[in-house]
Coordinates of all heavy atoms in Angstrom, one line a residue:
M1 N 16.2 63.6 -60.2 CA 15.4 62.4 -60.5 C 16.2 61.2 -60.4 O 17.3 61.1 -60.9 CB 14.8 62.6 -61.9 CG 14.0 61.4 -62.3 SD 13.1 61.6 -63.9 CE 14.5 61.6 -65.0
K2 N 15.6 60.2 -59.8 CA 16.3 58.9 -59.6 C 15.6 57.9 -60.6 O 14.4 57.9 -60.7 CB 16.1 58.4 -58.2 CG 16.8 57.1 -57.9 CD 16.5 56.6 -56.5 CE 17.3 55.4 -56.1 NZ 17.2 54.3 -57.0
S3 N 16.4 57.2 -61.3 CA 15.9 56.2 -62.2 C 16.8 55.0 -62.1 O 17.9 55.0 -61.8 CB 15.8 56.7 -63.6 OG 17.1 56.9 -64.1
D4 N 16.2 53.8 -62.4 CA 16.9 52.6 -62.4 C 17.6 52.5 -63.8 O 17.0 52.9 -64.8 CB 16.0 51.4 -62.2 CG 15.4 51.3 -60.8 OD1 16.1 51.8 -59.9 OD2 14.3 50.9 -60.7
E5 N 18.8 52.0 -63.8 CA 19.5 51.9 -65.1 C 19.1 50.5 -65.7 O 19.1 49.5 -65.0 CB 21.0 51.9 -64.9 CG 21.8 51.9 -66.1 CD 23.2 52.2 -65.9 OE1 23.5 53.2 -65.2 OE2 24.1 51.5 -66.4
I6 N 18.9 50.5 -67.0 CA 18.5 49.3 -67.7 C 19.6 49.1 -68.7 O 19.9 49.9 -69.5 CB 17.2 49.4 -68.4 CG1 16.1 49.6 -67.3 CG2 16.9 48.2 -69.2 CD1 14.7 49.9 -67.9
D7 N 20.2 47.9 -68.6 CA 21.3 47.5 -69.5 C 20.7 46.8 -70.7 O 20.3 45.7 -70.7 CB 22.3 46.6 -68.8 CG 23.4 46.2 -69.7 OD1 23.5 46.7 -70.9 OD2 24.2 45.3 -69.3
L8 N 20.5 47.6 -71.8 CA 19.9 47.0 -73.0 C 20.7 45.9 -73.6 O 20.1 45.0 -74.3 CB 19.7 48.1 -74.1 CG 18.7 49.2 -73.7 CD1 18.8 50.3 -74.7 CD2 17.3 48.6 -73.6
D9 N 22.0 45.9 -73.4 CA 22.8 44.8 -73.9 C 22.5 43.4 -73.2 O 22.9 42.4 -73.7 CB 24.3 45.1 -73.8 CG 24.7 46.2 -74.7 OD1 24.1 46.3 -75.8 OD2 25.6 47.0 -74.3
A10 N 21.8 43.5 -72.0 CA 21.5 42.3 -71.3 C 20.3 41.6 -71.9 O 20.1 40.4 -71.6 CB 21.2 42.7 -69.8
Y11 N 19.6 42.2 -72.8 CA 18.4 41.6 -73.4 C 18.9 40.9 -74.7 O 19.7 41.5 -75.5 CB 17.4 42.6 -73.7 CG 16.7 43.2 -72.5 CD1 17.3 44.3 -71.8 CD2 15.6 42.6 -71.9 CE1 16.7 44.8 -70.7 CE2 15.0 43.1 -70.8 CZ 15.6 44.2 -70.2 OH 15.0 44.6 -69.0
A12 N 18.2 39.8 -75.0 CA 18.5 39.2 -76.3 C 17.9 40.0 -77.4 O 16.9 40.7 -77.2 CB 17.8 37.8 -76.3
R13 N 18.6 40.0 -78.5 CA 18.1 40.7 -79.7 C 17.2 39.7 -80.4 O 17.6 38.6 -80.8 CB 19.3 41.1 -80.6 CG 20.4 41.9 -80.0 CD 19.7 43.2 -79.5 NE 20.8 44.2 -79.2 CZ 20.9 44.8 -78.1 NH1 20.2 44.4 -77.0 NH2 21.8 45.7 -77.9
T14 N 16.0 40.1 -80.6 CA 15.0 39.3 -81.3 C 14.7 40.0 -82.6 O 14.2 41.1 -82.7 CB 13.7 39.1 -80.5 OG1 14.1 38.5 -79.2 CG2 12.7 38.2 -81.2
K15 N 15.0 39.2 -83.7 CA 14.6 39.7 -85.0 C 13.7 38.7 -85.6 O 14.0 37.6 -85.9 CB 15.9 39.9 -85.9 CG 16.8 41.0 -85.4 CD 18.0 41.2 -86.3 CE 18.9 42.3 -85.8 NZ 18.4 43.6 -85.9
L16 N 12.4 39.2 -85.8 CA 11.4 38.3 -86.3 C 11.6 38.2 -87.8 O 12.0 39.2 -88.5 CB 10.0 38.8 -86.0 CG 9.7 39.0 -84.4 CD1 8.4 39.7 -84.2 CD2 9.7 37.6 -83.8
P17 N 11.2 37.1 -88.4 CA 11.4 36.9 -89.9 C 10.4 37.9 -90.7 O 9.4 38.3 -90.1 CB 11.0 35.5 -90.1 CG 10.2 35.0 -89.0 CD 10.7 35.9 -87.8
S18 N 10.8 38.2 -91.9 CA 10.0 39.0 -92.7 C 8.6 38.4 -93.0 O 8.5 37.2 -93.2 CB 10.7 39.2 -94.1 OG 9.9 39.9 -95.0
P19 N 7.6 39.3 -92.9 CA 6.3 38.8 -93.3 C 6.0 38.7 -94.8 O 5.0 38.2 -95.3 CB 5.3 39.8 -92.6 CG 6.1 41.1 -92.6 CD 7.6 40.6 -92.4
G20 N 7.0 39.2 -95.5 CA 6.9 39.1 -97.0 C 6.2 40.3 -97.6 O 5.9 40.3 -98.8
L21 N 5.8 41.2 -96.8 CA 5.1 42.4 -97.3 C 5.3 43.5 -96.3 O 5.7 43.3 -95.2 CB 3.6 42.1 -97.6 CG 2.8 41.4 -96.5 CD1 2.5 42.2 -95.3 CD2 1.5 40.9 -97.1
C22 N 4.9 44.8 -96.7 CA 5.0 45.9 -95.8 C 3.9 45.7 -94.7 O 2.7 45.5 -95.1 CB 4.8 47.2 -96.6 SG 4.7 48.6 -95.4
I23 N 4.2 45.8 -93.5 CA 3.2 45.5 -92.4 C 2.2 46.7 -92.3 O 1.2 46.5 -91.7 CB 3.9 45.3 -91.0 CG1 4.7 46.5 -90.6 CG2 4.7 44.0 -91.1 CD1 5.3 46.5 -89.2
Y24 N 2.5 47.8 -93.0 CA 1.6 48.9 -92.9 C 0.6 49.0 -94.1 O -0.6 49.1 -93.9 CB 2.3 50.2 -92.7 CG 3.2 50.3 -91.5 CD1 4.6 50.2 -91.6 CD2 2.6 50.4 -90.3 CE1 5.4 50.3 -90.5 CE2 3.4 50.4 -89.1 CZ 4.8 50.3 -89.2 OH 5.5 50.4 -88.1
C25 N 1.1 48.9 -95.3 CA 0.3 49.0 -96.5 C 0.1 47.7 -97.2 O -0.8 47.7 -98.1 CB 0.9 50.1 -97.4 SG 2.4 49.5 -98.3
G26 N 0.8 46.7 -96.9 CA 0.6 45.4 -97.5 C 1.3 45.2 -98.8 O 1.2 44.1 -99.5
N27 N 2.0 46.2 -99.3 CA 2.7 46.1 -100.6 C 3.8 45.1 -100.5 O 4.6 45.1 -99.6 CB 3.3 47.5 -101.0 CG 3.8 47.4 -102.4 OD1 4.8 46.7 -102.7 ND2 3.3 48.3 -103.3
D28 N 3.8 44.2 -101.5 CA 4.9 43.1 -101.5 C 5.9 43.3 -102.6 O 6.7 42.4 -102.8 CB 4.2 41.7 -101.5 CG 3.5 41.5 -102.8 OD1 3.3 42.4 -103.6 OD2 3.0 40.3 -102.9
K29 N 5.8 44.4 -103.3 CA 6.7 44.6 -104.4 C 7.9 45.6 -104.1 O 9.0 45.4 -104.6 CB 6.0 45.2 -105.6 CG 4.8 44.3 -106.1 CD 5.2 43.1 -106.8 CE 4.0 42.3 -107.3 NZ 3.6 41.2 -106.6
L30 N 7.6 46.6 -103.2 CA 8.6 47.6 -102.9 C 9.6 47.0 -102.0 O 9.4 46.1 -101.2 CB 7.9 48.8 -102.3 CG 6.9 49.6 -103.1 CD1 6.1 50.6 -102.3 CD2 7.6 50.2 -104.3
K31 N 10.8 47.6 -102.1 CA 11.9 47.2 -101.2 C 11.5 47.6 -99.8 O 11.0 48.7 -99.5 CB 13.2 48.0 -101.6 CG 14.4 47.6 -100.8 CD 15.6 48.3 -101.3 CE 16.8 47.9 -100.4 NZ 17.9 48.8 -100.4
R32 N 11.8 46.7 -98.9 CA 11.4 47.0 -97.5 C 12.7 47.0 -96.6 O 13.7 46.4 -96.9 CB 10.5 45.9 -97.0 CG 9.1 45.9 -97.7 CD 8.3 44.7 -97.3 NE 8.9 43.4 -97.5 CZ 8.8 42.7 -98.6 NH1 8.1 43.2 -99.6 NH2 9.3 41.5 -98.7
S33 N 12.5 47.6 -95.4 CA 13.6 47.7 -94.4 C 13.1 47.1 -93.1 O 11.9 46.9 -92.9 CB 14.1 49.1 -94.3 OG 13.1 49.9 -93.9
E34 N 14.1 46.9 -92.2 CA 13.8 46.4 -90.9 C 12.9 47.4 -90.1 O 13.2 48.6 -90.1 CB 15.2 46.2 -90.2 CG 15.0 45.6 -88.8 CD 16.4 45.4 -88.2 OE1 17.4 45.6 -88.8 OE2 16.5 45.0 -87.0
E35 N 12.0 46.9 -89.4 CA 11.1 47.7 -88.6 C 11.3 47.4 -87.1 O 11.1 46.2 -86.7 CB 9.6 47.4 -89.0 CG 8.6 48.3 -88.3 CD 8.7 49.8 -88.6 OE1 9.3 50.2 -89.6 OE2 8.1 50.5 -87.8
H36 N 11.6 48.4 -86.4 CA 11.8 48.2 -84.9 C 10.5 48.3 -84.2 O 9.8 49.3 -84.3 CB 12.7 49.3 -84.4 CG 14.2 49.1 -84.7 ND1 14.7 49.5 -85.9 CD2 15.2 48.4 -84.1 CE1 16.0 49.1 -86.0 NE2 16.3 48.5 -84.9
V37 N 10.0 47.2 -83.6 CA 8.7 47.2 -82.9 C 8.8 48.2 -81.7 O 7.9 48.9 -81.5 CB 8.5 45.7 -82.4 CG1 7.2 45.7 -81.6 CG2 8.4 44.8 -83.6
I38 N 9.9 48.1 -81.0 CA 10.2 49.1 -80.0 C 11.2 50.1 -80.7 O 12.3 49.6 -81.1 CB 10.9 48.5 -78.8 CG1 9.9 47.5 -78.2 CG2 11.3 49.6 -77.7 CD1 10.5 46.6 -77.1
P39 N 10.8 51.4 -80.8 CA 11.7 52.3 -81.5 C 13.2 52.1 -81.1 O 13.4 52.0 -79.9 CB 11.2 53.7 -81.2 CG 9.7 53.4 -80.9 CD 9.7 52.0 -80.2
Y40 N 14.1 52.3 -82.0 CA 15.5 52.1 -81.7 C 15.9 53.0 -80.6 O 16.6 52.6 -79.7 CB 16.3 52.5 -82.9 CG 17.8 52.4 -82.7 CD1 18.5 51.1 -82.9 CD2 18.6 53.4 -82.2 CE1 19.8 51.0 -82.6 CE2 19.9 53.3 -82.0 CZ 20.5 52.1 -82.1 OH 21.8 52.0 -81.9
A41 N 15.4 54.2 -80.6 CA 15.8 55.2 -79.5 C 15.3 54.8 -78.1 O 15.7 55.4 -77.2 CB 15.2 56.6 -79.9
M42 N 14.4 53.9 -78.1 CA 13.9 53.4 -76.8 C 14.4 52.0 -76.4 O 14.2 51.7 -75.2 CB 12.4 53.5 -76.7 CG 11.8 54.9 -76.9 SD 10.0 55.0 -77.0 CE 9.6 54.6 -75.3
G43 N 14.8 51.3 -77.3 CA 15.2 49.9 -77.0 C 16.3 49.3 -77.8 O 16.6 48.2 -77.8
A44 N 17.0 50.2 -78.6 CA 18.1 49.8 -79.5 C 17.5 48.7 -80.4 O 16.5 48.9 -81.0 CB 19.3 49.4 -78.8
D45 N 18.1 47.5 -80.4 CA 17.7 46.5 -81.3 C 17.0 45.3 -80.6 O 17.1 44.2 -81.0 CB 18.9 45.9 -82.1 CG 19.5 46.9 -83.1 OD1 18.6 47.6 -83.7 OD2 20.7 47.0 -83.3
V46 N 16.3 45.6 -79.5 CA 15.7 44.6 -78.7 C 14.7 43.8 -79.5 O 14.7 42.6 -79.4 CB 15.1 45.2 -77.4 CG1 14.3 44.2 -76.7 CG2 16.1 45.8 -76.5
L47 N 13.8 44.4 -80.2 CA 12.8 43.7 -81.0 C 12.5 44.3 -82.3 O 12.1 45.5 -82.4 CB 11.5 43.6 -80.2 CG 10.4 42.8 -80.8 CD1 10.7 41.4 -81.2 CD2 9.1 42.9 -79.9
S48 N 12.8 43.6 -83.4 CA 12.5 44.1 -84.7 C 12.0 43.1 -85.7 O 12.1 41.9 -85.4 CB 13.7 44.8 -85.3 OG 14.8 43.9 -85.4
I49 N 11.4 43.5 -86.8 CA 10.9 42.6 -87.8 C 11.8 42.9 -89.1 O 11.8 44.0 -89.5 CB 9.5 42.8 -88.1 CG1 8.6 42.8 -86.9 CG2 8.9 41.8 -89.1 CD1 7.2 43.3 -87.0
L50 N 12.4 41.8 -89.6 CA 13.2 42.0 -90.8 C 12.4 42.3 -92.0 O 11.3 41.7 -92.2 CB 14.1 40.8 -91.0 CG 15.1 40.5 -89.9 CD1 15.7 39.1 -90.1 CD2 16.1 41.6 -89.8
D51 N 12.9 43.1 -92.9 CA 12.3 43.4 -94.2 C 10.7 43.6 -94.1 O 10.0 42.9 -94.7 CB 12.6 42.1 -95.1 CG 12.3 42.3 -96.5 OD1 12.5 43.4 -97.0 OD2 12.0 41.3 -97.2
A52 N 10.3 44.6 -93.3 CA 8.9 44.7 -93.0 C 8.2 46.0 -93.3 O 7.0 46.1 -93.2 CB 8.8 44.4 -91.5
S53 N 9.0 47.1 -93.7 CA 8.3 48.3 -94.0 C 8.8 48.9 -95.2 O 10.0 49.1 -95.4 CB 8.3 49.3 -92.8 OG 9.6 49.7 -92.4
C54 N 7.9 49.4 -96.1 CA 8.4 50.0 -97.4 C 8.8 51.4 -97.1 O 8.5 52.0 -96.1 CB 7.3 50.0 -98.4 SG 6.0 51.1 -98.2
G55 N 9.5 52.0 -98.1 CA 10.1 53.3 -97.9 C 9.0 54.4 -97.7 O 9.2 55.3 -96.8
E56 N 7.9 54.3 -98.4 CA 6.8 55.3 -98.2 C 6.2 55.2 -96.8 O 6.0 56.2 -96.1 CB 5.7 55.1 -99.2 CG 6.2 55.5 -100.6 CD 6.7 56.9 -100.7 OE1 6.0 57.8 -100.3 OE2 7.8 57.1 -101.3
C57 N 6.0 54.1 -96.3 CA 5.4 53.9 -94.9 C 6.5 54.3 -93.9 O 6.1 54.9 -92.9 CB 4.9 52.5 -94.7 SG 3.5 52.1 -95.7
Q58 N 7.7 54.0 -94.2 CA 8.8 54.3 -93.3 C 8.9 55.8 -93.1 O 9.1 56.3 -92.0 CB 10.1 53.8 -93.8 CG 11.3 53.8 -92.9 CD 11.1 52.9 -91.7 OE1 11.1 53.4 -90.6 NE2 10.8 51.6 -91.9
K59 N 8.7 56.6 -94.2 CA 8.7 58.1 -94.1 C 7.6 58.6 -93.2 O 7.8 59.5 -92.3 CB 8.5 58.7 -95.5 CG 9.7 58.6 -96.4 CD 9.4 59.3 -97.7 CE 10.3 58.9 -98.8 NZ 9.8 59.3 -100.1
I60 N 6.4 58.0 -93.3 CA 5.3 58.4 -92.4 C 5.5 58.1 -91.0 O 5.4 58.9 -90.1 CB 4.0 57.7 -92.9 CG1 3.6 58.2 -94.3 CG2 2.8 58.0 -92.0 CD1 2.6 57.3 -95.0
I61 N 6.0 56.8 -90.8 CA 6.3 56.4 -89.4 C 7.4 57.2 -88.8 O 7.3 57.7 -87.6 CB 6.6 54.9 -89.3 CG1 5.5 54.0 -89.8 CG2 7.1 54.5 -88.0 CD1 4.2 54.2 -89.0
N62 N 8.5 57.5 -89.5 CA 9.6 58.2 -89.0 C 9.2 59.6 -88.6 O 9.7 60.1 -87.6 CB 10.7 58.3 -90.0 CG 11.5 57.0 -90.1 OD1 11.4 56.1 -89.2 ND2 12.4 56.9 -91.1
K63 N 8.3 60.3 -89.4 CA 7.9 61.6 -89.1 C 7.2 61.6 -87.7 O 7.5 62.5 -86.9 CB 6.9 62.1 -90.2 CG 6.7 63.5 -90.2 CD 5.9 63.8 -91.5 CE 5.5 65.2 -91.6 NZ 4.7 65.5 -92.8
Y64 N 6.3 60.7 -87.5 CA 5.6 60.6 -86.2 C 6.5 60.2 -85.1 O 6.5 60.9 -84.0 CB 4.5 59.6 -86.3 CG 3.8 59.3 -85.0 CD1 2.9 60.1 -84.4 CD2 4.2 58.1 -84.3 CE1 2.4 59.9 -83.1 CE2 3.7 57.8 -83.0 CZ 2.8 58.7 -82.5 OH 2.3 58.4 -81.2
E65 N 7.4 59.2 -85.3 CA 8.3 58.7 -84.3 C 9.3 59.8 -83.9 O 9.5 60.0 -82.7 CB 9.0 57.5 -84.8 CG 9.7 56.7 -83.8 CD 10.3 55.4 -84.4 OE1 9.5 54.4 -84.5 OE2 11.5 55.4 -84.8
Q66 N 9.8 60.5 -84.8 CA 10.8 61.6 -84.5 C 10.1 62.7 -83.7 O 10.8 63.2 -82.8 CB 11.5 62.1 -85.8 CG 12.4 61.1 -86.4 CD 13.5 60.7 -85.5 OE1 14.2 61.5 -84.9 NE2 13.7 59.4 -85.3
G67 N 8.9 63.1 -84.1 CA 8.2 64.1 -83.4 C 8.0 63.7 -81.9 O 8.2 64.5 -81.0
F68 N 7.6 62.5 -81.7 CA 7.4 62.0 -80.4 C 8.7 61.9 -79.6 O 8.8 62.4 -78.5 CB 6.8 60.6 -80.4 CG 6.7 59.9 -79.1 CD1 5.9 60.3 -78.1 CD2 7.6 58.8 -78.8 CE1 5.9 59.7 -76.9 CE2 7.6 58.2 -77.6 CZ 6.7 58.6 -76.6
L69 N 9.8 61.3 -80.2 CA 11.0 61.1 -79.5 C 11.8 62.5 -79.2 O 12.4 62.6 -78.1 CB 11.9 60.2 -80.3 CG 11.5 58.8 -80.5 CD1 12.3 58.1 -81.5 CD2 11.5 58.1 -79.1
I70 N 11.6 63.4 -80.1 CA 12.3 64.7 -79.9 C 11.5 65.6 -79.0 O 12.0 66.2 -78.0 CB 12.7 65.3 -81.2 CG1 13.7 64.5 -81.9 CG2 13.2 66.8 -81.0 CD1 14.0 64.8 -83.4
N71 N 10.3 65.9 -79.4 CA 9.5 66.9 -78.8 C 8.8 66.5 -77.5 O 8.6 67.3 -76.6 CB 8.4 67.4 -79.7 CG 9.0 67.9 -81.0 OD1 10.0 68.5 -81.0 ND2 8.3 67.7 -82.1
Q72 N 8.5 65.2 -77.4 CA 7.7 64.8 -76.2 C 8.7 64.2 -75.1 O 8.5 64.4 -73.9 CB 6.6 63.9 -76.5 CG 5.5 64.6 -77.4 CD 4.3 63.7 -77.6 OE1 4.0 62.8 -76.9 NE2 3.6 64.1 -78.7
I73 N 9.6 63.3 -75.5 CA 10.4 62.7 -74.5 C 11.9 63.0 -74.7 O 12.7 62.3 -74.0 CB 10.1 61.2 -74.4 CG1 10.5 60.4 -75.7 CG2 8.7 60.9 -74.0 CD1 10.6 58.9 -75.6
G74 N 12.3 63.9 -75.6 CA 13.7 64.2 -75.8 C 14.5 64.5 -74.6 O 15.5 63.9 -74.4
P75 N 14.1 65.5 -73.8 CA 14.9 65.8 -72.6 C 15.1 64.6 -71.7 O 16.1 64.4 -71.1 CB 14.1 66.9 -72.0 CG 13.3 67.5 -73.1 CD 13.0 66.4 -74.0
F76 N 14.0 63.8 -71.5 CA 14.1 62.6 -70.6 C 15.1 61.6 -71.2 O 16.0 61.1 -70.5 CB 12.7 62.0 -70.5 CG 12.8 60.7 -69.7 CD1 13.0 60.7 -68.4 CD2 12.6 59.5 -70.4 CE1 13.0 59.5 -67.7 CE2 12.7 58.3 -69.7 CZ 12.9 58.3 -68.3
R77 N 15.1 61.4 -72.5 CA 16.0 60.5 -73.2 C 17.4 61.0 -73.0 O 18.3 60.2 -72.7 CB 15.7 60.4 -74.7 CG 14.4 59.7 -75.0 CD 14.1 59.5 -76.5 NE 15.3 58.9 -77.1 CZ 16.0 59.4 -78.1 NH1 15.6 60.5 -78.6 NH2 17.0 58.8 -78.6
G78 N 17.6 62.2 -73.1 CA 19.0 62.8 -72.9 C 19.5 62.6 -71.5 O 20.6 62.2 -71.3
A79 N 18.5 62.8 -70.5 CA 18.9 62.7 -69.1 C 19.3 61.2 -68.7 O 20.1 61.0 -67.9 CB 17.8 63.2 -68.3
I80 N 18.7 60.3 -69.4 CA 19.0 58.9 -69.0 C 20.0 58.2 -70.0 O 20.3 57.0 -69.8 CB 17.7 58.0 -68.9 CG1 17.0 57.9 -70.3 CG2 16.8 58.6 -67.8 CD1 15.9 56.8 -70.3
G81 N 20.4 58.9 -71.0 CA 21.4 58.4 -72.0 C 20.7 57.3 -72.8 O 21.4 56.3 -73.1
A82 N 19.5 57.5 -73.3 CA 18.9 56.5 -74.1 C 19.6 56.3 -75.4 O 20.3 57.2 -75.9 CB 17.4 57.0 -74.4
P83 N 19.4 55.2 -76.1 CA 20.1 54.9 -77.3 C 19.8 56.0 -78.4 O 18.6 56.4 -78.4 CB 19.6 53.5 -77.8 CG 18.9 53.0 -76.6 CD 18.6 54.1 -75.7
S84 N 20.8 56.3 -79.2 CA 20.5 57.3 -80.2 C 21.4 57.0 -81.4 O 22.6 56.8 -81.3 CB 20.8 58.7 -79.7 OG 21.0 59.6 -80.7
R85 N 20.8 57.0 -82.6 CA 21.7 56.8 -83.8 C 22.6 58.0 -84.0 O 23.7 57.9 -84.5 CB 20.8 56.6 -85.0 CG 20.2 55.2 -85.0 CD 19.6 54.9 -86.4 NE 19.2 53.5 -86.4 CZ 18.0 53.0 -86.4 NH1 17.0 53.9 -86.3 NH2 17.7 51.7 -86.4
T86 N 22.1 59.2 -83.7 CA 22.9 60.4 -83.8 C 24.1 60.3 -82.9 O 25.2 60.7 -83.3 CB 22.0 61.6 -83.4 OG1 20.8 61.6 -84.2 CG2 22.8 62.9 -83.7
Q87 N 23.9 59.9 -81.7 CA 25.0 59.7 -80.7 C 26.0 58.7 -81.3 O 27.2 59.0 -81.2 CB 24.4 59.3 -79.4 CG 25.4 59.3 -78.3 CD 24.7 59.0 -77.0 OE1 23.7 58.1 -77.0 NE2 25.1 59.5 -75.9
K88 N 25.5 57.6 -81.9 CA 26.4 56.6 -82.4 C 27.3 57.2 -83.5 O 28.5 57.0 -83.6 CB 25.6 55.5 -83.1 CG 25.5 54.2 -82.2 CD 24.8 53.2 -83.1 CE 24.7 51.9 -82.3 NZ 24.0 50.9 -83.1
K89 N 26.7 58.1 -84.4 CA 27.5 58.7 -85.5 C 28.5 59.6 -84.9 O 29.6 59.7 -85.4 CB 26.5 59.5 -86.4 CG 25.7 58.6 -87.3 CD 24.7 59.4 -88.1 CE 23.6 58.4 -88.8 NZ 22.5 59.2 -89.3
K90 N 28.1 60.4 -83.9 CA 29.1 61.3 -83.3 C 30.3 60.6 -82.7 O 31.4 61.0 -82.8 CB 28.4 62.1 -82.2 CG 27.5 63.2 -82.7 CD 26.9 64.0 -81.6 CE 25.9 65.0 -82.1 NZ 25.1 65.6 -81.0
E91 N 30.0 59.4 -82.0 CA 31.0 58.6 -81.4 C 32.0 58.1 -82.5 O 33.2 58.0 -82.2 CB 30.4 57.5 -80.6 CG 29.8 57.9 -79.3 CD 29.0 56.9 -78.6 OE1 29.0 55.7 -79.1 OE2 28.3 57.2 -77.6
K92 N 31.5 57.7 -83.6 CA 32.3 57.1 -84.7 C 33.3 58.1 -85.2 O 34.4 57.8 -85.6 CB 31.4 56.5 -85.8 CG 30.8 55.2 -85.4 CD 30.0 54.6 -86.6 CE 29.4 53.3 -86.2 NZ 28.5 52.8 -87.3
T93 N 32.8 59.4 -85.3 CA 33.6 60.4 -86.0 C 34.6 61.1 -84.9 O 35.5 61.7 -85.3 CB 32.7 61.5 -86.6 OG1 31.9 62.1 -85.6 CG2 31.9 61.0 -87.7
A94 N 34.3 60.8 -83.6 CA 35.2 61.5 -82.6 C 36.5 60.7 -82.5 O 36.7 59.6 -82.9 CB 34.5 61.5 -81.3
Ligands
LIG101 ZN1 4.2 50.3 -96.9

């Protein structure tokens, strides 16, 4: 398979300001974390929203996102060397 290589480092990192609440459930009291608009595994830190998703919503989203990234496009991601937090951890410990 032939694919064009995309240098993710060539793109500006855009971090949108916090909306002040969870973008999924609207809760403004719970601690929130950064939400990647484009999943990290598909675009690293190209576009994210700071302080935008609560822990409970993050669990729901991660479950869906991981299922998609591993089961549906996992082999493709591996073949093209897509960004991976797991890969980053392995590189740090090596
Ligand atoms: Zn939420």
Side-chain angles (χ1 to χ4, degrees):
M1 177 172 70
K2 182 181 184 310
S3 66
D4 293 327
E5 186 171 313
I6 297 172
D7 181 6
L8 291 172
D9 292 327
Y11 292 88
R13 303 301 197 236
T14 302
K15 291 187 184 287
L16 301 173
S18 172
L21 46 73
C22 174
I23 60 172
Y24 299 109
C25 70
N27 187 301
D28 63 352
K29 305 286 186 262
L30 296 171
K31 183 178 179 197
R32 295 176 301 273
S33 60
E34 181 176 355
E35 181 66 16
H36 287 84
V37 176
I38 299 171
Y40 180 88
M42 296 177 71
D45 291 322
V46 172
L47 178 60
S48 60
I49 308 169
L50 297 171
D51 196 27
S53 61
C54 76
E56 290 304 311
C57 290
Q58 193 64 237
K59 284 183 203 169
I60 296 167
I61 296 300
N62 282 349
K63 196 173 178 180
Y64 169 78
E65 194 175 274
Q66 288 302 307
F68 170 73
L69 293 169
I70 294 168
N71 301 325
Q72 295 187 24
I73 65 168
F76 174 72
R77 291 183 53 236
I80 65 168
S84 165
R85 286 194 169 105
T86 306
Q87 192 176 29
K88 260 188 180 178
K89 287 176 189 168
K90 284 180 186 170
E91 287 171 4
K92 282 183 183 175
T93 56

